[in-house]
Amino acid sequence: RAHADNYGLDPALLAAVAYTESKFDPNAKSAAGAIGLMQLLPSTAQGIADHTGGGNYRPSDLYDPEISIRYGAWYLRDLLDKYHDERLALAAYNAGQSNVDRWVKAGGAIGFPETRAYVARVEELKALVAEFKGLVDEIFVLPRKRNDHTLRSAWKLFRFARFLRKKGPWDLSILLPNSFGSALVFRLAGARLR
């Protein structure tokens, strides 16, 4: 959330991009060479580091969730500022700016079916996360290891909370330690679950 706030992003959008890109796996690596939670190419991350003063950047830094999210948030903000359109910014995050620039010149329609599906998936997840914005009062994530899967646990809890909301009023306080020794605490307001 801090990086979303720092770059003027909707936290729901940033979370939706992270989940769509990597399923919250900080060790994810694509066939194209994109790395980490936000699936940035090392060359893209180098450009971000150059703009943000990250003089000691190394490609392996992208496996660090904090750095990956910070760089991904910066990049998403940069794309939103360039295109002034969320769908086009998401398309550029997925397919690259040169493709989106070409599509804009040709009328603005996203040219790749897989990129259209990507944008639709991010928007769907953003709506789901935003739905829980009022439902989840506080989220504390206390990572102890770089390869922590706490974010994946968070997504499972979002889905579980959505299921519970359909079943009736609840007042839940859940503490879930995971195998890496971290803890994720959700406090769900019973009034918002009704």
Side-chain angles (χ1 to χ4, degrees), residues 92-114:
Y93 197 101
N94 177 256
Q97 295 179 59
S98 59
N99 285 316
V100 173
D101 292 344
R102 192 173 64 251
W103 299 334
V104 167
K105 285 181 185 175
I110 296 172
F112 299 154
E114 60 272 19

Side-chain angles (χ1 to χ4, degrees), residues 30-92:
S30 75
I35 298 172
L37 282 174
M38 299 300 291
Q39 288 292 283
L40 294 167
L41 290 169
S43 58
T44 300
Q46 181 64 63
I48 295 166
D50 292 345
H51 277 92
T52 61
N56 295 324
Y57 163 78
R58 297 178 320 261
S60 61
D61 292 343
L62 294 174
Y63 290 110
D64 182 328
E66 194 279 329
I67 292 173
S68 185
I69 292 170
R70 178 166 28 112
Y71 282 17
W74 186 94
Y75 187 47
L76 193 54
R77 173 78 271 157
D78 187 58
L79 294 172
L80 286 164
D81 290 345
K82 177 178 180 176
Y83 293 107
H84 306 288
D85 180 276
E86 186 173 288
R87 289 180 54 80
L88 290 176
L90 290 171

Side-chain angles (χ1 to χ4, degrees), residues 45-179:
Q46 181 64 63
I48 295 166
D50 292 345
H51 277 92
T52 61
N56 295 324
Y57 163 78
R58 297 178 320 261
S60 61
D61 292 343
L62 294 174
Y63 290 110
D64 182 328
E66 194 279 329
I67 292 173
S68 185
I69 292 170
R70 178 166 28 112
Y71 282 17
W74 186 94
Y75 187 47
L76 193 54
R77 173 78 271 157
D78 187 58
L79 294 172
L80 286 164
D81 290 345
K82 177 178 180 176
Y83 293 107
H84 306 288
D85 180 276
E86 186 173 288
R87 289 180 54 80
L88 290 176
L90 290 171
Y93 197 101
N94 177 256
Q97 295 179 59
S98 59
N99 285 316
V100 173
D101 292 344
R102 192 173 64 251
W103 299 334
V104 167
K105 285 181 185 175
I110 296 172
F112 299 154
E114 60 272 19
T115 300
R116 285 193 299 272
Y118 171 87
V119 169
R121 178 71 173 147
V122 171
E123 289 182 335
E124 176 188 351
L125 292 172
K126 177 187 168 191
L128 177 61
V129 173
E131 181 181 342
F132 287 102
K133 192 173 185 181
L135 174 69
V136 179
D137 290 339
E138 297 177 39
I139 302 174
F140 299 98
V141 180
L142 309 170
R144 291 194 185 161
K145 290 195 178 177
R146 215 168 90 170
N147 62 352
D148 193 4
H149 292 281
T150 303
L151 291 173
R152 191 175 297 165
S153 298
W155 193 254
K156 288 177 183 174
L157 276 178
F158 277 136
R159 290 171 48 198
F160 179 63
R162 187 176 194 193
F163 167 77
L164 287 179
R165 199 175 85 190
K166 293 177 183 176
K167 299 296 180 186
W170 301 89
D171 187 5
L172 302 176
S173 184
I174 304 170
L175 174 62
L176 291 180
N178 68 22
S179 60

